Amino acid sequence: MAKTMIEPFRIKSVEPIRMTSRDERVRLLDEAKLNVFKLRAEDVLIDWLTDSGTGAMSSRQWGAIMEGDESYAGARSFYRLEAVIRKITGMPHFIPTHQGRAAEKVLFTALCKKGNLVPNNCHFDTTRANLEYLGVEAADLVIPEGLQPGLVHPFKGDIDLGRVEALLKAEGGRIPFGMLTVTNNTGGGQPVSMANIRAYAKLLKQYGKPLILDICRFAENAMFIKMREPGYANTPVADIAAEMFSYADGATMSAKKDGMVNIGGFIVLRDDRWLDDIRNNLIMMEGFPTYGGLAGRDLEALAVGLEEGLDEDYLRYRLRTAEYLGEKLDAAGIGFVKPTGGHAVYLDARTVLPAMPVAHYPAWALCNALYLEGGIRGVEIGSVMFGKRLDDGSETYHKMELLRLAFPRRMYTQSHFDYAAEVIAEVKERAASIRGVKIVKQPKFLRHFTAEFAWVG
Ligand code: F0G
């Protein structure tokens, strides 16, 4: 019989988390205007707001931090990280930035102009915002299966090649490059198959367009390929990642995910055609090209983290963690985006609150209920995040009401997941008593971060 898949690490340093009473949480959420973004993190028991920059570093990483060379130009730490990144990606040019969105801004400012159009499976919010800020249209072309939460498909992150080709034919002149996000965060942390990456790159090449990958979670994507795509079961994950990179001309990375660090990002490029423009932008926006907004010690931690993020025992455990929670949710009759993604589980709020009108924001209501019931913090991906209030006071709503529970790396153990599954099941039991919310104050853009709410009824 298969044994329990244990965490492939032991704990050397601990950080207490604080239990609160339900009464306290009622008061705290009230003070936070029913918006979990406004809670103090120390009032949260299990913080699954994001997997970005929130993970635990290893003893090797903390050791490497002491090796940081803080020279302004030409630091040893830069060359050490450059060598690691060249080995993993096969790309000769490495440009450090302080996080993923800075890499996007620096790259897009050099490559795009107003009126351009960039296809992707799904653009992450900051990727879309950085493009739109430059007057560029961001087209999301994930396969139709990728938009159906309950449908099981091994590679729901694949891009729809038919639609890409139609766009290249009709609008080719506007397209400076194609993008692909691995894994597809906005679509549920779903992987992209090697076959799809290969075919997309080939198609772009036929039209003379480069491929830029968004590689925040490339190691998780490579592990999914190993586990699900025929022909890769015996290929080392590092070789799978190398093949993924071999089809690309460049990439942006938020190292706060599979880089296993709390801060960092970078751009990699296969050739030097854009390099001068990018470096000039970098110096203006981030810093000198050998540190790019990071300290030498951050570069050292990342050099170790990138290697640890590709460890197969770690990755197997990592993907199993989400799957494990999924099994418990299934048993409790709670819907979620299937199959479970790499870094997160996306609960389908409509399966818990089927009768709640969308105008009462069911996924937001579920998010509040998880905090009140068990001190768990997730993030709503529904009509608060993607809906809009129009000038006449009416609202547009999102097509899905999801609640993302994103898991910091190497931080929570199986008993935290068991506890969370118990809390979610209890919330479902008590669904009839969950109240919806209304927005009483909101900013014009990105309203979910700062909006204030009141209970309905
Ligand atoms: N691309 C993807 C696919 C992302 O998921 C993120 C960040 C970024 C780019 C931007 O990177 O945060 O380092 O500037 N995602 C986080 C999340 C914030 O919670 O999903 P960043």
Side-chain angles (χ1 to χ4, degrees):
M1 208 176 87
K3 296 192 177 60
T4 300
M5 188 175 294
I6 60 169
E7 289 82 10
F9 48 81
R10 53 186 185 180
I11 295 166
K12 187 165 226 160
S13 177
V14 296
E15 187 182 11
I17 49 178
R18 195 168 82 88
M19 295 279 185
T20 45
S21 68
R22 194 172 206 286
D23 286 348
E24 263 180 287
R25 292 193 292 275
V26 168
R27 176 178 58 77
L28 291 163
L29 191 62
D30 221 45
E31 286 169 7
K33 313 290 183 196
L34 310 187
N35 183 344
V36 296
F37 277 104
K38 292 177 189 273
L39 290 168
R40 285 177 182 244
E42 62 186 6
D43 295 330
V44 175
L45 184 66
I46 294 189
D47 204 347
W48 286 347
L49 193 71
T50 177
D51 66 319
S52 181
T54 48
M57 289 210 292
S58 67
S59 50
R60 241 184 96 211
Q61 285 178 292
W62 285 111
I65 276 180
M66 286 306 288
E67 299 284 335
D69 175 354
E70 305 300 344
S71 303
Y72 191 94
R76 184 182 60 240
S77 303
F78 170 81
Y79 293 106
R80 184 165 133 61
L81 176 57
E82 184 185 56
V84 170
I85 288 177
R86 279 185 178 158
K87 187 161 166 248
I88 292 173
T89 66
M91 304 230 191
H93 305 294
F94 152 60
I95 298 112
T97 61
H98 83 277
Q99 63 182 77
R101 66 198 72 185
E104 293 161 3
K105 187 174 172 67
V106 166
L107 184 77
F108 298 163
T109 308
L111 267 60
C112 300
K113 54 180 192 296
K114 200 169 177 224
N116 280 171
L117 186 158
V118 173
N120 200 335
N121 44 1
C122 291
H123 292 84
F124 181 68
D125 331 6
T126 60
T127 324
R128 170 177 293 278
N130 270 309
L131 288 169
E132 289 178 352
Y133 183 76
L134 295 169
V136 179
E137 190 183 336
D140 285 351
L141 302 174
V142 71
I143 53 169
E145 292 87 338
L147 297 173
Q148 298 172 51
L151 186 99
V152 177
H153 180 288
F155 292 105
K156 281 171 103 171
D158 281 359
I159 192 164
D160 187 332
L161 296 168
R163 289 174 70 200
V164 173
E165 183 153 30
L167 206 59
L168 282 163
K169 275 196 185 124
E171 306 270 7
R174 292 173 62 202
I175 300 177
F177 54 84
M179 281 196 85
L180 196 61
T181 307
V182 295
T183 58
N184 185 22
N185 181 15
T186 313
Q190 299 293 322
V192 182
S193 65
M194 191 73 87
N196 191 252
I197 302 175
R198 194 185 298 125
Y200 181 45
K202 193 171 159 206
L203 185 58
L204 288 169
K205 206 171 188 170
Q206 279 168 14
Y207 288 80
K209 312 293 180 190
L211 169 60
I212 306 288
L213 296 175
D214 176 339
I215 57 164
C216 300
R217 302 177 180 89
F218 75 96
E220 290 172 7
N221 199 91
M223 191 66 188
F224 274 124
I225 288 175
K226 184 178 176 101
M227 289 164 47
R228 294 185 185 165
E229 192 158 348
Y232 288 96
N234 298 316
T235 312
V237 162
D239 293 357
I240 296 175
E243 187 185 340
M244 288 163 55
F245 287 116
S246 75
Y247 301 120
D249 299 282
T252 55
M253 167 116 187
S254 166
K256 299 169 75 170
K257 285 84 169 175
D258 282 355
M260 316 290 276
V261 288
N262 303 120
I263 194 74
F266 58 83
I267 300 166
V268 280
L269 294 168
R270 191 166 300 288
D271 65 43
D272 60 8
R273 63 190 136 154
W274 305 304
L275 214 53
D276 286 346
D277 285 346
I278 287 173
R279 290 219 167 108
N280 289 337
N281 285 345
L282 189 80
I283 290 171
M284 233 174 355
M285 297 172 188
E286 289 285 286
F288 190 76
T290 60
Y291 74 86
L294 291 169
R297 55 179 169 270
D298 300 327
L299 302 172
E300 292 284 344
L302 179 54
V304 177
L306 281 167
E307 285 177 345
E308 291 183 348
L310 281 166
D311 180 89
E312 297 195 11
D313 286 342
Y314 156 72
L315 283 168
R316 208 169 280 113
Y317 136 82
R318 171 81 177 153
L319 303 189
R320 173 65 191 145
T321 304
E323 185 185 59
Y324 176 79
L325 182 59
E327 287 166 5
K328 302 223 158 208
L329 296 175
D330 252 341
I334 294 152
F336 54 93
V337 175
K338 288 184 180 173
T340 47
H343 67 295
V345 170
Y346 295 63
L347 306 184
D348 184 352
R350 291 191 200 278
T351 66
V352 181
L353 302 166
M356 186 178 284
V358 66
H360 297 174
Y361 307 110
W364 197 275
L366 183 62
C367 182
N368 285 346
L370 253 56
Y371 178 69
L372 291 176
E373 193 65 39
I376 298 168
R377 175 157 72 168
V379 84
E380 186 250 22
I381 302 190
S383 295
V384 177
M385 188 181 272
F386 291 118
K388 273 197 186 87
R389 184 150 299 176
L390 305 175
D391 288 341
D392 65 2
S394 67
E395 287 258 329
T396 63
Y397 298 107
H398 189 50
K399 51 188 175 303
M400 291 193 277
E401 287 293 322
L402 302 177
L403 174 62
R404 184 184 82 167
L405 303 175
F407 314 128
R409 290 167 180 75
R410 304 187 289 203
M411 174 155 289
Y412 293 103
T413 64
Q414 186 169 335
S415 63
H416 293 111
F417 281 83
D418 288 336
Y419 168 83
E422 287 160 18
V423 170
I424 299 166
E426 261 173 51
V427 163
K428 181 162 193 287
E429 294 284 300
R430 296 196 195 171
S433 66
I434 295 177
R435 286 196 283 172
V437 293
K438 58 185 176 197
I439 300 179
V440 292
K441 190 173 164 206
Q442 59 178 311
K444 218 169 165 56
F445 299 106
L446 296 171
R447 62 181 182 175
H448 54 288
F449 290 121
T450 54
E452 298 181 2
F453 297 81
W455 296 117
V456 173

